[in-house]
């Protein structure tokens, strides 16, 4: 358990040097979705909050694409939903 | 790009409709909480939108991800432009930017 959580933390840390990084496994809220929680082990739905200087001056779409790019393998393999809150330092 | 025929359907949908939501399920019966959340935002804003159920067709489900270069669903298009998924639409609704976007793009709202 927690393998994908660890991978997200490692890749976001390496890619964005975040000031803060918070990750929450929300998979239990989506149990019963057809085919979306294949083995009942969770790790399919995450909420990730990142504050990073890498987001400064970027649009919302650009910020999410940056994170999706870092986590492309994880999204392909297993993760079904990523809820993202992406801020540059100093933003509310 | 791709020989997926769904791409042509997607292009046609976003060309012919001011507001298109690619979603799981239908606006009446969303089958995913994130899709349901965007339907709710759009309904509250009073815009007319076309809901496209990607669960109806695997080609479409994969095609929209490829077309937008965005790995998740829902996806909102306004006047042919990709606006974002659930997080972005919710944030924009809260900040008033979504209403402004509809105004700027001259999308009619009921309000």
């Amino acid at each position: 358990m927690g393998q994908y959580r660890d991978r997200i933390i490692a890749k976001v840390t390496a890619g964005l040097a975040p000031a803060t990084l918070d990750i929450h496994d929300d998979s239990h809220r989506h149990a019963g979705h057809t085919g979306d929680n294949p083995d009942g082990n969770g790790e399919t739905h995450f909420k990730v909050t990142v504050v990073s200087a890498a987001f400064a001056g970027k649009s919302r779409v650009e910020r999410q694409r940056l994170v999706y790019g870092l986590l492309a393998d994880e999204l392909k393999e297993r993760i079904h939903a990523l809820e993202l809150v992406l801020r540059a330092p100093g933003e509310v | 790009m791709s020989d997926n025929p769904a791409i042509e359907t997607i292009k046609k949908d976003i060309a012919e409709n001011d507001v298109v939501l690619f979603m799981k399920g239908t606006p009446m019966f969303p089958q995913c909480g994130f899709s349901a959340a965007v339907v709710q935002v759009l309904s509250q804003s009073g815009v007319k939108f076309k809901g496209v159920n990607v669960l109806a067709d695997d080609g479409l489900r994969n095609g929209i991800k490829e077309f937008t270069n965005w790995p998740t669903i829902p996806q909102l298009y306004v006047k042919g432009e990709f606006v974002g998924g659930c997080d972005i639409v919710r944030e924009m609704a809260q900040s008033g930017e979504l209403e402004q976007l509809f105004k700027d793009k001259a999308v009619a709202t009921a309000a």
Side-chain angles (χ1 to χ4, degrees), chain A residues 60 64-65 68 80 83-84, chain B residues 24 68 72 87 91 97:
Chain A
R60 289 193 172 88
Q64 291 212 359
R65 279 215 171 102
Y68 286 147
H80 159 77
E83 214 177 323
L84 297 172
Chain B
K24 293 186 177 173
T68 312
T72 56
D87 301 318
E91 282 184 14
E97 284 164 88

Side-chain angles (χ1 to χ4, degrees), chain B residues 7-70:
Chain B
I7 300 284
E8 288 311 312
T9 315
I10 292 165
K11 283 185 186 162
K12 193 161 172 282
D13 273 337
I14 64 175
E16 291 178 356
N17 301 276
D18 278 0
V19 184
V20 186
L21 179 64
F22 295 91
M23 62 179 291
K24 293 186 177 173
T26 63
M28 286 295 282
F29 296 102
Q31 292 186 42
C32 158
F34 300 110
S35 289
V38 177
V39 167
Q40 197 186 357
V41 166
L42 292 177
S43 302
Q44 279 167 359
S45 72
V47 295
K48 262 179 58 182
F49 67 97
K50 175 171 183 175
V52 177
N53 180 7
V54 304
L55 296 179
D57 176 1
D58 258 355
L60 186 60
R61 186 176 183 170
N62 294 320
I64 189 63
K65 292 179 182 179
E66 184 190 329
F67 179 75
T68 312
N69 182 26
W70 194 263

Side-chain angles (χ1 to χ4, degrees), chain A residues 64-84:
Chain A
Q64 291 212 359
R65 279 215 171 102
L66 205 55
V67 175
Y68 286 147
L70 291 171
L71 302 176
D73 292 342
E74 288 73 16
L75 282 159
K76 229 174 271 162
E77 289 168 25
R78 178 167 187 100
I79 296 173
H80 159 77
L82 259 189
E83 214 177 323
L84 297 172

Side-chain angles (χ1 to χ4, degrees), chain A residues 8-9 12-14 16-23 47-55 67 85-91:
Chain A
I8 293 172
I9 291 171
V12 169
T13 302
L16 298 171
T20 67
L21 166 59
D22 182 67
I23 175 165
K47 177 169 183 177
V48 182
T49 305
V50 184
V51 178
S52 166
F55 296 138
V67 175
V85 180
L86 309 176
R87 301 270 183 273
E91 290 177 353

